Amino acid sequence: MTTAEAIETTKPIPGGREVLVEFDDGIAWVQINRPAKRNAMSVGLAQEMNEVLDALETDERCGVIVLTGVGEAFSAGMDLKDFFRATDGLGDIERHRAYRATRAWQWRTLMHYAKPTIAMVNGWCFGGAFTPLICCDLAIADEKAVFGLSEINWGVIPGGVVSKAIGTVMGDRQALYYVMTGEQFDGAKAVSLGLVNEAVPKERLRQRTTELARTLLGKNPTVLRQAKLAYKYSREMNWEQASEYLTAKVDQTNFVDPERGKEQGLKQFLDEKTFRPGMGTYTRPE
Ligand code: COA
């Protein structure tokens, strides 16, 4: 029995209620599983998602996470009944805990997750769903998926951290247009707004997402982790701080990398002349 088979048979699959996880050769497909409610996000979903993401971070079956939804929706945003109305009725401390559970997975965890994350937007994507979408590293949408900052239509502002999140990927004119009109837009428009990387026909969505995930799985995982974290943290710094931080981060990455990627890359390019960094990844150890 190989190590992979041993893990497969002995380790339970996390989630199973409102979050489903499927493993496929290094990819963990994490699916919001409330299709009858268009995958609207409840307090219970947040609690389960926190457990799932925590478990997958150290699960060897997961090299990349794809976040998506079961059925016809990515997510119709926060659940107006099982999040808003439910928490409005709670005491201050209980409400704080419910909000904390949601903030945890939707941005704190996803933003700085130890493994690469791809959002696969397979359908409806409204309001609060923009936060996990934006906090995933990359995103691919069905070109016909329907997006909307619909909050204004039902009497609230884009809260949680949506207003902050959209400003990291969209320009002010575009963000304010959709915040203030609540108009829908499709996957192709989402590309031009910077919300997703690509939009493809529905029948190609899973295949294209898998291809992208496989590309990421082919990279040195330590360097990939440090690269995305460095990008996200340095974005919040001024130039002087970013320059010092990134110089130190290069050294730290080298220090913690079991593959000794930089050393290998330099040797293979400069001494052995067996690869070109501009053309692909260096030959990694088996
Ligand atoms: N919160 C709670 N329940 C929701 C929901 C949400 N965000 N989105 C959908 N649902 C529920 C509906 O209440 C309905 O429940 P019911 O069958 O018990 O009545 C079920 O999901 C199906 O919704 P329905 O509106 O009938 O589906 P649809 O396919 O016709 O329309 C949407 C889909 C997404 C366009 C529509 O449901 C919608 O506008 N949802 C709200 C989107 C939104 O504004 N989200 C922002 C929240 S921050």
Side-chain angles (χ1 to χ4, degrees):
M1 186 183 280
T2 66
T3 313
E5 281 164 345
I7 293 164
E8 195 70 48
T9 49
T10 55
K11 209 165 178 180
I13 293 178
R17 299 183 302 276
E18 299 195 338
V19 182
L20 299 184
V21 179
E22 273 172 35
F23 294 105
D24 177 18
D25 202 13
I27 305 172
W29 296 85
V30 177
Q31 302 157 87
I32 301 175
N33 183 37
R34 305 187 74 224
K37 299 291 178 188
R38 305 298 181 263
N39 297 327
M41 297 176 288
S42 60
V43 178
L45 171 89
Q47 288 160 344
E48 191 175 348
M49 191 64 91
N50 281 320
E51 288 167 17
V52 166
L53 293 178
D54 194 49
L56 291 179
E57 209 162 31
T58 55
D59 194 314
E60 291 175 43
R61 294 168 294 186
C62 168
V64 174
I65 279 184
V66 176
L67 178 69
T68 190
V70 173
E72 64 193 72
F74 175 69
S75 167
M78 301 313 298
D79 191 307
L80 274 62
K81 178 164 168 272
D82 291 335
F83 185 82
F84 287 113
R85 189 168 279 172
T87 58
D88 283 349
L90 296 176
D92 193 37
I93 292 180
E94 291 269 287
R95 190 162 180 267
H96 175 79
R97 286 164 64 83
Y99 274 70
R100 186 174 65 197
T102 288
R103 288 171 188 161
W105 84 268
Q106 285 192 345
W107 65 273
R108 286 204 183 94
T109 300
L110 276 179
M111 176 88 84
H112 300 123
Y113 202 64
K115 293 178 175 174
T117 52
I118 304 172
M120 186 178 87
V121 184
N122 55 305
W124 303 115
C125 179
F126 284 105
F130 277 54
T131 302
L133 162 64
I134 290 167
C135 290
C136 282
D137 304 323
L138 303 170
I140 301 192
D142 175 346
E143 62 190 8
K144 297 224 168 76
V146 177
F147 296 75
L149 290 166
S150 51
E151 289 90 337
I152 196 81
N153 297 338
W154 62 278
V156 298
I157 67 166
V161 79
V162 173
S163 288
K164 172 83 178 158
I166 54 176
T168 64
V169 290
M170 290 164 74
D172 286 348
R173 289 279 177 247
Q174 301 282 22
L176 280 169
Y177 182 86
Y178 291 105
V179 165
M180 296 171 77
T181 65
E183 254 176 43
Q184 294 179 350
F185 54 92
D186 66 12
K189 180 75 183 176
V191 177
S192 70
L193 293 173
L195 259 184
V196 303
N197 296 90
E198 290 173 40
V200 296
K202 191 181 248 342
E203 56 277 13
R204 284 205 57 233
L205 184 61
R206 192 168 169 117
Q207 181 202 335
R208 177 61 194 127
T209 307
T210 303
E211 280 168 18
L212 181 58
R214 298 247 165 277
T215 299
L216 300 178
L217 286 168
K219 307 289 180 196
N220 176 326
T222 309
V223 179
L224 195 57
R225 171 165 48 257
Q226 299 292 350
K228 70 174 221 178
L229 293 177
Y231 175 82
K232 291 181 180 188
Y233 282 116
S234 63
R235 193 171 56 185
E236 309 289 329
M237 298 174 188
N238 68 33
W239 282 62
E240 293 294 346
Q241 290 163 341
S243 166
E244 275 301 300
Y245 162 77
L246 290 169
T247 303
K249 195 74 173 163
V250 170
D251 290 344
Q252 187 218 3
T253 302
N254 201 28
F255 182 70
V256 297
D257 178 13
E259 281 188 25
R260 312 301 295 164
K262 181 180 168 194
E263 200 177 301
Q264 284 304 315
L266 288 177
K267 187 169 74 165
Q268 291 175 25
F269 180 56
L270 296 176
D271 306 329
E272 299 170 355
K273 298 196 180 297
T274 50
F275 105 114
R276 291 179 169 78
M279 312 292 275
T281 305
Y282 68 91
T283 304
R284 295 180 53 211
E286 290 296 311

mmCIF file of all heavy atoms in Angstrom, residues 111-112 168 225-250 252:
data_model
loop_
_atom_site.group_PDB
_atom_site.id
_atom_site.type_symbol
_atom_site.label_atom_id
_atom_site.label_comp_id
_atom_site.label_asym_id
_atom_site.label_seq_id
_atom_site.Cartn_x
_atom_site.Cartn_y
_atom_site.Cartn_z
ATOM 1 N N MET A 111 -7.491 34.399 3.086
ATOM 2 C CA MET A 111 -6.532 35.407 2.614
ATOM 3 C C MET A 111 -5.084 34.933 2.777
ATOM 4 O O MET A 111 -4.238 35.186 1.935
ATOM 5 C CB MET A 111 -6.748 36.698 3.410
ATOM 6 C CG MET A 111 -5.768 37.785 3.098
ATOM 7 S SD MET A 111 -6.332 38.773 1.737
ATOM 8 C CE MET A 111 -7.397 39.900 2.607
ATOM 9 N N HIS A 112 -4.811 34.243 3.896
ATOM 10 C CA HIS A 112 -3.427 33.837 4.175
ATOM 11 C C HIS A 112 -3.318 32.319 4.322
ATOM 12 O O HIS A 112 -2.559 31.821 5.156
ATOM 13 C CB HIS A 112 -2.919 34.556 5.441
ATOM 14 C CG HIS A 112 -2.930 36.051 5.297
ATOM 15 N ND1 HIS A 112 -3.602 36.877 6.152
ATOM 16 C CD2 HIS A 112 -2.379 36.850 4.352
ATOM 17 C CE1 HIS A 112 -3.451 38.140 5.753
ATOM 18 N NE2 HIS A 112 -2.716 38.147 4.665
ATOM 19 N N THR A 168 -9.924 46.037 -3.334
ATOM 20 C CA THR A 168 -8.598 45.465 -3.607
ATOM 21 C C THR A 168 -8.488 44.944 -5.038
ATOM 22 O O THR A 168 -7.383 44.711 -5.524
ATOM 23 C CB THR A 168 -8.242 44.310 -2.636
ATOM 24 O OG1 THR A 168 -9.157 43.232 -2.852
ATOM 25 C CG2 THR A 168 -8.299 44.754 -1.186
ATOM 26 N N ARG A 225 3.756 29.052 -1.586
ATOM 27 C CA ARG A 225 3.123 29.613 -0.375
ATOM 28 C C ARG A 225 3.745 30.961 -0.012
ATOM 29 O O ARG A 225 3.067 31.947 0.221
ATOM 30 C CB ARG A 225 3.268 28.625 0.793
ATOM 31 C CG ARG A 225 2.848 29.189 2.149
ATOM 32 C CD ARG A 225 2.654 28.114 3.200
ATOM 33 N NE ARG A 225 3.739 27.159 3.284
ATOM 34 C CZ ARG A 225 3.720 25.928 2.799
ATOM 35 N NH1 ARG A 225 2.664 25.483 2.174
ATOM 36 N NH2 ARG A 225 4.765 25.124 2.930
ATOM 37 N N GLN A 226 5.083 30.982 0.016
ATOM 38 C CA GLN A 226 5.767 32.213 0.419
ATOM 39 C C GLN A 226 5.523 33.326 -0.596
ATOM 40 O O GLN A 226 5.411 34.491 -0.239
ATOM 41 C CB GLN A 226 7.273 31.956 0.571
ATOM 42 C CG GLN A 226 7.638 30.910 1.626
ATOM 43 C CD GLN A 226 7.349 31.360 3.048
ATOM 44 O OE1 GLN A 226 7.049 32.519 3.297
ATOM 45 N NE2 GLN A 226 7.433 30.431 3.986
ATOM 46 N N ALA A 227 5.417 32.953 -1.881
ATOM 47 C CA ALA A 227 5.204 33.968 -2.930
ATOM 48 C C ALA A 227 3.848 34.654 -2.768
ATOM 49 O O ALA A 227 3.727 35.874 -2.855
ATOM 50 C CB ALA A 227 5.312 33.323 -4.313
ATOM 51 N N LYS A 228 2.809 33.854 -2.512
ATOM 52 C CA LYS A 228 1.485 34.480 -2.407
ATOM 53 C C LYS A 228 1.362 35.267 -1.110
ATOM 54 O O LYS A 228 0.767 36.347 -1.090
ATOM 55 C CB LYS A 228 0.365 33.453 -2.580
ATOM 56 C CG LYS A 228 0.202 32.478 -1.441
ATOM 57 C CD LYS A 228 -1.019 31.599 -1.636
ATOM 58 C CE LYS A 228 -1.734 31.440 -0.297
ATOM 59 N NZ LYS A 228 -2.941 30.656 -0.355
ATOM 60 N N LEU A 229 1.946 34.752 -0.027
ATOM 61 C CA LEU A 229 1.891 35.494 1.242
ATOM 62 C C LEU A 229 2.666 36.800 1.125
ATOM 63 O O LEU A 229 2.221 37.854 1.591
ATOM 64 C CB LEU A 229 2.442 34.649 2.397
ATOM 65 C CG LEU A 229 1.600 33.417 2.767
ATOM 66 C CD1 LEU A 229 2.273 32.615 3.879
ATOM 67 C CD2 LEU A 229 0.189 33.818 3.192
ATOM 68 N N ALA A 230 3.828 36.729 0.484
ATOM 69 C CA ALA A 230 4.654 37.931 0.320
ATOM 70 C C ALA A 230 3.891 38.995 -0.463
ATOM 71 O O ALA A 230 3.907 40.181 -0.125
ATOM 72 C CB ALA A 230 5.951 37.575 -0.397
ATOM 73 N N TYR A 231 3.201 38.560 -1.516
ATOM 74 C CA TYR A 231 2.417 39.511 -2.315
ATOM 75 C C TYR A 231 1.335 40.168 -1.453
ATOM 76 O O TYR A 231 1.169 41.389 -1.438
ATOM 77 C CB TYR A 231 1.778 38.798 -3.519
ATOM 78 C CG TYR A 231 0.865 39.718 -4.284
ATOM 79 C CD1 TYR A 231 1.379 40.615 -5.212
ATOM 80 C CD2 TYR A 231 -0.511 39.745 -4.032
ATOM 81 C CE1 TYR A 231 0.556 41.503 -5.885
ATOM 82 C CE2 TYR A 231 -1.342 40.626 -4.700
ATOM 83 C CZ TYR A 231 -0.802 41.501 -5.620
ATOM 84 O OH TYR A 231 -1.619 42.386 -6.267
ATOM 85 N N LYS A 232 0.605 39.331 -0.712
ATOM 86 C CA LYS A 232 -0.542 39.853 0.036
ATOM 87 C C LYS A 232 -0.101 40.750 1.194
ATOM 88 O O LYS A 232 -0.726 41.776 1.459
ATOM 89 C CB LYS A 232 -1.422 38.703 0.513
ATOM 90 C CG LYS A 232 -2.131 38.012 -0.653
ATOM 91 C CD LYS A 232 -3.040 36.874 -0.214
ATOM 92 C CE LYS A 232 -3.714 36.240 -1.427
ATOM 93 N NZ LYS A 232 -4.744 35.256 -1.080
ATOM 94 N N TYR A 233 0.946 40.367 1.901
ATOM 95 C CA TYR A 233 1.397 41.200 3.030
ATOM 96 C C TYR A 233 2.067 42.487 2.541
ATOM 97 O O TYR A 233 1.853 43.557 3.097
ATOM 98 C CB TYR A 233 2.363 40.428 3.939
ATOM 99 C CG TYR A 233 1.676 39.446 4.876
ATOM 100 C CD1 TYR A 233 1.909 38.074 4.776
ATOM 101 C CD2 TYR A 233 0.784 39.883 5.853
ATOM 102 C CE1 TYR A 233 1.283 37.172 5.631
ATOM 103 C CE2 TYR A 233 0.154 38.987 6.702
ATOM 104 C CZ TYR A 233 0.405 37.627 6.590
ATOM 105 O OH TYR A 233 -0.224 36.755 7.423
ATOM 106 N N SER A 234 2.873 42.389 1.485
ATOM 107 C CA SER A 234 3.619 43.585 1.052
ATOM 108 C C SER A 234 2.688 44.651 0.482
ATOM 109 O O SER A 234 2.982 45.838 0.524
ATOM 110 C CB SER A 234 4.711 43.223 0.039
ATOM 111 O OG SER A 234 4.142 42.686 -1.123
ATOM 112 N N ARG A 235 1.519 44.210 -0.031
ATOM 113 C CA ARG A 235 0.519 45.135 -0.563
ATOM 114 C C ARG A 235 0.088 46.164 0.494
ATOM 115 O O ARG A 235 -0.279 47.277 0.176
ATOM 116 C CB ARG A 235 -0.682 44.286 -0.992
ATOM 117 C CG ARG A 235 -1.701 44.939 -1.821
ATOM 118 C CD ARG A 235 -2.680 43.912 -2.332
ATOM 119 N NE ARG A 235 -3.300 43.134 -1.249
ATOM 120 C CZ ARG A 235 -4.123 42.116 -1.455
ATOM 121 N NH1 ARG A 235 -4.396 41.721 -2.667
ATOM 122 N NH2 ARG A 235 -4.667 41.475 -0.450
ATOM 123 N N GLU A 236 0.136 45.750 1.764
ATOM 124 C CA GLU A 236 -0.316 46.630 2.856
ATOM 125 C C GLU A 236 0.806 47.544 3.356
ATOM 126 O O GLU A 236 0.588 48.354 4.244
ATOM 127 C CB GLU A 236 -0.813 45.783 4.047
ATOM 128 C CG GLU A 236 -1.827 44.711 3.698
ATOM 129 C CD GLU A 236 -3.189 45.269 3.323
ATOM 130 O OE1 GLU A 236 -3.557 46.329 3.853
ATOM 131 O OE2 GLU A 236 -3.857 44.654 2.468
ATOM 132 N N MET A 237 2.031 47.385 2.838
ATOM 133 C CA MET A 237 3.184 48.131 3.374
ATOM 134 C C MET A 237 3.565 49.292 2.465
ATOM 135 O O MET A 237 3.208 49.305 1.287
ATOM 136 C CB MET A 237 4.407 47.204 3.453
ATOM 137 C CG MET A 237 4.230 46.026 4.364
ATOM 138 S SD MET A 237 5.677 44.932 4.218
ATOM 139 C CE MET A 237 5.096 43.549 5.197
ATOM 140 N N ASN A 238 4.357 50.241 3.013
ATOM 141 C CA ASN A 238 4.921 51.252 2.127
ATOM 142 C C ASN A 238 6.150 50.659 1.415
ATOM 143 O O ASN A 238 6.570 49.538 1.710
ATOM 144 C CB ASN A 238 5.230 52.557 2.877
ATOM 145 C CG ASN A 238 6.359 52.399 3.876
ATOM 146 O OD1 ASN A 238 7.293 51.633 3.660
ATOM 147 N ND2 ASN A 238 6.287 53.134 4.974
ATOM 148 N N TRP A 239 6.714 51.413 0.465
ATOM 149 C CA TRP A 239 7.794 50.863 -0.372
ATOM 150 C C TRP A 239 9.022 50.481 0.441
ATOM 151 O O TRP A 239 9.654 49.450 0.187
ATOM 152 C CB TRP A 239 8.162 51.858 -1.482
ATOM 153 C CG TRP A 239 7.167 51.843 -2.604
ATOM 154 C CD1 TRP A 239 5.850 52.163 -2.524
ATOM 155 C CD2 TRP A 239 7.411 51.442 -3.963
ATOM 156 N NE1 TRP A 239 5.242 51.998 -3.744
ATOM 157 C CE2 TRP A 239 6.173 51.565 -4.649
ATOM 158 C CE3 TRP A 239 8.529 51.011 -4.663
ATOM 159 C CZ2 TRP A 239 6.044 51.264 -6.005
ATOM 160 C CZ3 TRP A 239 8.393 50.715 -6.016
ATOM 161 C CH2 TRP A 239 7.165 50.831 -6.671
ATOM 162 N N GLU A 240 9.397 51.327 1.399
ATOM 163 C CA GLU A 240 10.593 51.022 2.204
ATOM 164 C C GLU A 240 10.399 49.721 2.983
ATOM 165 O O GLU A 240 11.258 48.839 2.987
ATOM 166 C CB GLU A 240 10.869 52.162 3.208
ATOM 167 C CG GLU A 240 11.274 53.489 2.586
ATOM 168 C CD GLU A 240 12.630 53.423 1.882
ATOM 169 O OE1 GLU A 240 13.370 52.459 2.100
ATOM 170 O OE2 GLU A 240 12.921 54.343 1.088
ATOM 171 N N GLN A 241 9.230 49.616 3.632
ATOM 172 C CA GLN A 241 8.965 48.416 4.438
ATOM 173 C C GLN A 241 8.881 47.188 3.540
ATOM 174 O O GLN A 241 9.417 46.122 3.870
ATOM 175 C CB GLN A 241 7.645 48.588 5.195
ATOM 176 C CG GLN A 241 7.715 49.620 6.290
ATOM 177 C CD GLN A 241 6.318 50.066 6.728
ATOM 178 O OE1 GLN A 241 5.331 49.895 6.011
ATOM 179 N NE2 GLN A 241 6.246 50.658 7.915
ATOM 180 N N ALA A 242 8.202 47.340 2.388
ATOM 181 C CA ALA A 242 8.030 46.203 1.489
ATOM 182 C C ALA A 242 9.380 45.705 0.979
ATOM 183 O O ALA A 242 9.633 44.499 0.884
ATOM 184 C CB ALA A 242 7.131 46.585 0.323
ATOM 185 N N SER A 243 10.257 46.639 0.680
ATOM 186 C CA SER A 243 11.559 46.266 0.157
ATOM 187 C C SER A 243 12.366 45.464 1.188
ATOM 188 O O SER A 243 12.945 44.409 0.878
ATOM 189 C CB SER A 243 12.290 47.555 -0.255
ATOM 190 O OG SER A 243 13.629 47.304 -0.455
ATOM 191 N N GLU A 244 12.359 45.945 2.428
ATOM 192 C CA GLU A 244 13.081 45.223 3.486
ATOM 193 C C GLU A 244 12.437 43.863 3.748
ATOM 194 O O GLU A 244 13.105 42.838 3.871
ATOM 195 C CB GLU A 244 13.073 46.046 4.791
ATOM 196 C CG GLU A 244 14.178 47.077 4.881
ATOM 197 C CD GLU A 244 15.568 46.446 4.778
ATOM 198 O OE1 GLU A 244 15.897 45.597 5.631
ATOM 199 O OE2 GLU A 244 16.308 46.782 3.844
ATOM 200 N N TYR A 245 11.108 43.871 3.848
ATOM 201 C CA TYR A 245 10.358 42.637 4.138
ATOM 202 C C TYR A 245 10.607 41.591 3.052
ATOM 203 O O TYR A 245 10.887 40.425 3.338
ATOM 204 C CB TYR A 245 8.869 42.971 4.257
ATOM 205 C CG TYR A 245 7.931 41.790 4.121
ATOM 206 C CD1 TYR A 245 7.738 40.892 5.172
ATOM 207 C CD2 TYR A 245 7.228 41.554 2.931
ATOM 208 C CE1 TYR A 245 6.881 39.805 5.041
ATOM 209 C CE2 TYR A 245 6.373 40.482 2.794
ATOM 210 C CZ TYR A 245 6.202 39.608 3.846
ATOM 211 O OH TYR A 245 5.360 38.532 3.708
ATOM 212 N N LEU A 246 10.534 42.022 1.777
ATOM 213 C CA LEU A 246 10.661 41.051 0.684
ATOM 214 C C LEU A 246 12.081 40.501 0.590
ATOM 215 O O LEU A 246 12.279 39.325 0.257
ATOM 216 C CB LEU A 246 10.228 41.687 -0.644
ATOM 217 C CG LEU A 246 8.719 41.950 -0.746
ATOM 218 C CD1 LEU A 246 8.389 42.815 -1.958
ATOM 219 C CD2 LEU A 246 7.933 40.642 -0.811
ATOM 220 N N THR A 247 13.077 41.347 0.888
ATOM 221 C CA THR A 247 14.464 40.860 0.885
ATOM 222 C C THR A 247 14.624 39.776 1.955
ATOM 223 O O THR A 247 15.201 38.715 1.715
ATOM 224 C CB THR A 247 15.433 42.030 1.144
ATOM 225 O OG1 THR A 247 15.202 43.025 0.140
ATOM 226 C CG2 THR A 247 16.882 41.581 1.082
ATOM 227 N N ALA A 248 14.059 40.054 3.139
ATOM 228 C CA ALA A 248 14.146 39.067 4.217
ATOM 229 C C ALA A 248 13.324 37.821 3.874
ATOM 230 O O ALA A 248 13.706 36.692 4.214
ATOM 231 C CB ALA A 248 13.650 39.687 5.519
ATOM 232 N N LYS A 249 12.210 38.011 3.183
ATOM 233 C CA LYS A 249 11.322 36.891 2.845
ATOM 234 C C LYS A 249 12.002 35.934 1.856
ATOM 235 O O LYS A 249 11.788 34.724 1.920
ATOM 236 C CB LYS A 249 10.023 37.443 2.251
ATOM 237 C CG LYS A 249 8.900 36.464 2.175
ATOM 238 C CD LYS A 249 8.310 36.199 3.542
ATOM 239 C CE LYS A 249 7.071 35.341 3.488
ATOM 240 N NZ LYS A 249 6.761 34.772 4.815
ATOM 241 N N VAL A 250 12.794 36.491 0.949
ATOM 242 C CA VAL A 250 13.540 35.632 0.019
ATOM 243 C C VAL A 250 14.478 34.720 0.824
ATOM 244 O O VAL A 250 14.551 33.505 0.597
ATOM 245 C CB VAL A 250 14.346 36.481 -0.997
ATOM 246 C CG1 VAL A 250 15.302 35.594 -1.798
ATOM 247 C CG2 VAL A 250 13.410 37.229 -1.937
ATOM 248 N N GLN A 252 14.202 33.906 4.010
ATOM 249 C CA GLN A 252 13.424 32.981 4.844
ATOM 250 C C GLN A 252 12.916 31.815 4.000
ATOM 251 O O GLN A 252 12.943 30.660 4.424
ATOM 252 C CB GLN A 252 12.229 33.715 5.479
ATOM 253 C CG GLN A 252 11.476 32.845 6.482
ATOM 254 C CD GLN A 252 9.971 33.045 6.440
ATOM 255 O OE1 GLN A 252 9.445 33.788 5.624
ATOM 256 N NE2 GLN A 252 9.280 32.371 7.332
#
